[in-house]
Amino acid sequence: MTTRHPGAAPHLQAPAADDPREVGGYRVVARLGVGGMGRVYLAYTPGGRPVALKVVRPELAGDPEFRRRFAQEVTSAQRIHGLYTAQVVDSGADDPTPWLATTYVPGPSLQQAVHAHGPLPARTVLLLVAGIAEALQEIHRAGVVHRDLKPANVLIAADGPRVIDFGIARAAHAGALTGTGLRVGTPAFMAPEQALGRPAVPATDVFALGALAAYVVGGAPPFGEGPDSAALYRVVHEEADLGRVPAALQPLLWHCLAKDPERRPTTAQVIEAVRSHPEVGGELRFAGDWLPDRVTTEIRRHADLPVPRPLRPPPPSMRRTPSPPRVRRRPPGRPAPRLRNPRRRRTCSRAGADGRPRPTEGAAARRWWPPSPCCWGPRGRSRCSTPTSKATATTRRPPILPEPSQASPPPCPLPPRPCPPPGTPPSTPAPNSSRRTRATSSTSGRAGSCRGRPSLRGLLPPQRMTRAAD
C-alpha cells in the first residue's frame, strides 16, 4: 500500500517498501504510476534534474526475447529528438532489471485530464492533434512505429503535448506474451491491420491518433468500451461512433479512422488540415488560453515536486567494518625475525662474572659497562639482542680483554757455571771454539758479573740462533 507525498502533487505517491531507492544512479523520490510493462517513478539525476524512470516487471526481465527487443527499441528511441516527445536520456537494458529514463513532463496525461475534467474544447483538441502529428512525424522519420498511441501515453504540458513510450510496446508484448494471444497495443485504439496481426506501418499510428482525438473531444472511445475481444471485433468490422464529436472535427477524424491504411492521411497532411481549420485561425501556437483553466491549474500542481532528501546512512548492521590487518604466517621451523631499531643501543643481558644478571637499561646499565667479552662479535659489535634506552646510547667503547699473565722465562738447560774470582784475566778462546763459547766467555769475564745469559737452543731455528748469539 502506498501513501501520497505530503504537500506534493496528488499524482505522486510515496515509494513502497518493495520499491527501489536508487536505479542506475538516479535517486527515486516518488511513484508516478504502474503500467503494463512496469512501474514509473519520479527520480532525480546526480545534478538535480527530475526524470521519469520506468522499471520493467520481474517476469518480463526474465524473458530473453523481451530483453533483446527492449534493447533494440531503446536504441531506436534514443535517436528521436522531437519537440513534442519525451526524450530518452538513459537506459539500462543489460541490467538485471531493465529500466528506461526519460525527461519528466510536469503535467497530467490526456486520460487523467478527461477523467478529472471531462471532454476538452474543440480548439484545444485540434492543437493537440497537430502537436501529436508532429511527434509522430519525428518518430516515423527515425524508422520507429509507436504501436500503442493512446490517451495514457500523451502528456499535457504548458507548451504542448508530449508523446511517451514510443516503440516500447513492441518489446512489452514480445516473446512468450505474444504466444498467449495478446496483440501489441490497446484494443480500443488499435488499427484493423494491427488487430488482425499484420505488420504495423506509419498509417497505423494515424488511425490511433483519430481514435484518441475522438475520445478527448467526446469523452468516450469511438469503438465503445467493454471486453477486449468485443472492441477488436468492432475495430475490424464496424464503423466508429462519432456521435459525441463536434461536427467541425468529424471530417478530419473520418479520414484518420479509415479501414484501409492507404486511404488515411499522412502526418504532414494532418498538420496542414489543422492549420487551415476555422477553429485555429491559421496559427498553431500553444500560448495564452489554449487550455482550460482547470487543466492549467492541474499542470501547476504537477510542477510542485518534492525536494529530494539526503540519503540516510546505512544501519550499523550494514556498515562496512575495517578488515583486520593481514598477518603473514611464518612457515613452521623458521625462527621469528628480530625487530631492530637503529636509534637504540644493545647491551649485554647475560650474567656477570659473579653470576648475577646485569641490568639492560638506565644508569645501572652504565655502571655495569662493559659487558662480557663473549657478547662481542667481530669489529666490536655486540651479539646481544636486548635493547637499551636512549640514555645508554653513548659512544662505542672497545672491549677490554684480560691482560696476559706475567710468565717467567724458561729455565736454562745448561748447568750453572761458577764465577771467576775478581782480577782474573780473560782466557783466550780456542781456535775451534764455537761462537756461543766466546760469547759466554766475554760475558762472564766482565767485572762483577755473575749472571749467565740463557741459552736459546731449542727456542729458535738454527739460522736465527747464530744471529741471536752475535
Side-chain angles (χ1 to χ4, degrees):
M1 181 177 180
T2 58
T3 57
R4 297 190 182 278
H5 258 286
H11 70 290
L12 297 178
Q13 298 176 348
D18 57 342
D19 289 333
R21 296 296 180 265
E22 184 176 350
V23 177
Y26 299 93
R27 295 174 54 187
V28 176
V29 176
R31 182 191 291 187
L32 295 175
V34 179
M37 194 176 67
R39 298 178 179 179
V40 185
Y41 301 98
L42 172 66
Y44 281 87
T45 65
R49 293 292 299 271
V51 295
L53 188 68
K54 175 170 286 189
V55 180
V56 176
R57 293 184 301 170
E59 54 269 25
L60 290 177
D63 187 0
E65 183 65 19
F66 166 80
R67 299 181 70 95
R68 184 183 67 82
R69 291 195 178 186
F70 181 80
Q72 293 178 356
E73 298 297 336
V74 168
T75 303
S76 301
Q78 289 177 341
R79 300 196 304 263
I80 302 172
H81 303 285
L83 297 177
Y84 296 106
T85 59
Q87 299 183 10
V88 177
V89 297
D90 200 358
S91 64
D94 297 332
D95 291 1
T97 302
W99 53 272
L100 179 71
T102 61
T103 55
Y104 174 74
V105 181
S109 65
L110 286 178
Q111 183 180 8
Q112 295 173 346
V114 173
H115 179 75
H117 308 290
L120 300 181
R123 180 175 178 272
T124 301
V125 174
L126 287 172
L127 292 175
L128 289 174
V129 168
I132 297 172
E134 184 174 339
L136 293 176
Q137 193 173 13
E138 295 295 329
I139 294 173
H140 297 162
R141 185 178 289 113
V144 179
V145 179
H146 195 293
R147 296 183 179 87
D148 194 20
L149 184 64
K150 57 185 179 181
N153 286 339
V154 178
L155 305 179
I156 307 175
D159 55 349
R162 298 292 189 277
V163 178
I164 63 175
D165 289 350
F166 34 85
I168 308 301
R170 179 185 178 186
H173 296 276
L177 295 179
T178 303
T180 60
L182 296 177
R183 293 171 175 81
V184 179
T186 305
F189 303 92
M190 191 178 296
E193 66 273 10
Q194 193 176 6
L196 295 174
R198 298 173 183 173
V201 293
T204 303
D205 292 340
V206 175
F207 185 94
L209 176 59
L212 180 147
Y215 169 81
V216 173
V217 75
F223 295 97
E225 300 177 349
D228 293 346
S229 58
L232 290 174
Y233 179 83
R234 289 191 293 267
V235 165
V236 176
H237 301 286
E238 296 181 4
E239 297 294 335
D241 183 10
L242 302 182
R244 300 181 181 183
V245 178
L249 273 67
Q250 288 186 6
L252 176 61
L253 299 187
W254 278 119
H255 284 83
C256 293
L257 295 175
K259 301 296 183 182
D260 187 3
E262 301 294 335
R263 298 178 56 186
R264 298 169 197 161
T266 63
T267 54
Q269 293 174 351
V270 171
I271 296 174
E272 187 60 31
V274 172
R275 182 181 288 108
S276 60
H277 199 278
E279 292 287 342
V280 177
E283 186 177 5
L284 300 177
R285 293 185 60 188
F286 295 93
D289 56 348
W290 77 279
L291 283 173
D293 294 339
R294 56 185 183 274
V295 179
T296 304
T297 303
E298 187 173 354
I299 291 176
R300 295 195 186 100
R301 296 178 63 184
H302 278 72
D304 185 15
L305 301 179
V307 179
R309 299 178 181 178
L311 296 178
R312 297 180 180 179
S317 60
M318 298 182 61
R319 295 177 183 174
R320 295 184 59 184
T321 57
S323 58
R326 183 180 178 183
V327 179
R328 298 183 61 182
R329 298 185 179 276
R330 187 172 66 255
R334 179 178 298 180
R338 295 183 299 176
L339 301 179
R340 296 183 178 181
N341 189 344
R343 301 180 61 182
R344 304 180 68 179
R345 290 291 305 272
R346 297 182 179 88
T347 59
C348 180
S349 60
R350 298 185 181 182
D354 53 357
R356 293 183 300 174
R358 297 185 177 185
T360 59
E361 295 185 3
R366 293 192 294 271
R367 291 196 301 270
W368 281 95
W369 187 271
S372 301
C374 62
C375 296
W376 289 92
R379 300 184 182 179
R381 295 181 181 178
S382 173
R383 299 192 186 98
C384 301
S385 60
T386 305
T388 62
S389 61
K390 190 175 181 180
T392 61
T394 58
T395 58
R396 186 179 299 276
R397 302 179 182 180
I400 300 178
L401 302 179
E403 297 181 358
S405 59
Q406 301 294 334
S408 58
C412 182
L414 301 178
R417 297 177 62 183
C419 296
T424 303
S427 59
T428 303
N432 297 331
S433 62
S434 63
R435 295 182 179 182
R436 179 180 180 278
T437 305
R438 293 195 300 267
T440 304
S441 300
S442 61
T443 305
S444 59
R446 290 180 294 181
S449 175
C450 63
R451 294 179 302 177
R453 186 174 182 179
S455 173
L456 300 180
R457 186 179 301 274
L459 298 179
L460 295 177
Q463 59 271 20
R464 296 188 60 183
M465 279 195 60
T466 305
R467 297 180 182 177
D470 295 340

